[in-house]
Amino acid sequence: MDNFTRYLQYQKELTETKLKTIDRFLKSSKPKPIIRTSNASVVENVLRIAGRPLHISNIIEIAERDYGVQLVRDSIVSILIKKINAGQKFIRTAPNTFSLKE
């Protein structure tokens, strides 16, 4: 393969990666409307859209910004710990950092 062909292949792969990243951000930037849901459901939606573990402070901030929901830190941590202990939906990845169970 000559240098020009290798360069074109590199540019193609780079562009495909950029498009995948743009698509991922476009999908995650559209918060789904929540109609009368529990605080645990709000947290679940926040974590699903984020696609990565989040600290409880970030979860509360995003819930307020995107969903207009005021979450009480101690209450949310308690709910998440209970769900984790029951083996439901959530996992703890670090102190006060949570993610969805895959």
Side-chain angles (χ1 to χ4, degrees), residues 4 19 22-23 25 30 32-34 45 50 61 76 78 99:
F4 184 68
L19 287 173
I22 290 168
D23 286 341
F25 280 111
K30 299 177 188 174
K32 296 181 176 116
I34 297 179
N45 286 338
E61 178 185 317
I76 293 302
S78 175
S99 182

Side-chain angles (χ1 to χ4, degrees), residues 49-90:
I49 290 171
R52 61 184 174 85
L54 292 175
H55 190 270
I56 191 67
S57 300
N58 298 109
I59 293 170
I60 292 170
E61 178 185 317
I62 293 169
E64 187 175 335
R65 183 188 67 216
D66 292 351
Y67 299 104
V69 176
Q70 292 268 330
L71 300 176
V72 178
R73 180 186 178 100
D74 292 338
S75 175
I76 293 302
V77 171
S78 175
I79 289 169
L80 292 173
I81 296 302
K82 286 177 185 175
K83 297 239 182 228
I84 289 168
N85 289 339
Q88 300 174 348
K89 295 184 187 179
F90 303 100

Side-chain angles (χ1 to χ4, degrees), residues 24-37:
R24 188 177 71 233
F25 280 111
L26 287 175
K27 287 178 185 175
S28 69
S29 68
K30 299 177 188 174
K32 296 181 176 116
I34 297 179
I35 302 170
R36 187 81 174 122
T37 58

